[in-house]
Amino acid sequence: MKKMWLALMLLFFALIAVGCNSNDADASEGEETSNGSSEEVDSSEEKQTVTFWHAMGGAAQEALNKIVDDYNQSQDKNSG
């Protein structure tokens, strides 16, 4: 029974290791960025909208809103 349990655990960890492998077949299709990731780069000058979901409430939400507002204002200054 112990050998079967050990074999199942080894199989489980092997599957986890294979599933976490970062060598995707799709990775060669996109543009490679400077950090080595494979994602398409949008070189247009248009503003991008990011939807940020969070579970903050109360004072934490107010602090987060201030951080986001400050960041957005700093980006408006840089794009001009």
Side-chain angles (χ1 to χ4, degrees), residues 2-76:
K2 287 185 180 181
K3 288 183 181 181
M4 186 173 197
W5 177 251
L6 179 62
L8 286 173
M9 291 302 293
L10 287 174
L11 178 64
F12 173 75
F13 287 119
L15 290 174
I16 294 295
V18 169
C20 294
N21 189 0
S22 66
N23 293 332
D24 274 342
D26 296 337
S28 62
E29 294 177 11
E31 262 183 50
E32 190 165 325
T33 60
S34 61
N35 65 1
S37 67
S38 177
E39 58 186 50
E40 292 185 27
V41 178
D42 184 12
S43 62
S44 69
E45 296 296 323
E46 296 177 18
K47 288 187 178 183
Q48 301 295 314
T49 301
V50 176
T51 302
F52 177 59
W53 290 43
H54 62 86
M56 302 288 182
Q61 181 176 358
E62 291 174 16
L64 181 61
N65 288 342
K66 179 168 179 3
I67 292 169
V68 171
D69 290 341
D70 290 346
Y71 175 79
N72 287 336
Q73 288 176 2
S74 74
Q75 297 307 301
D76 289 340

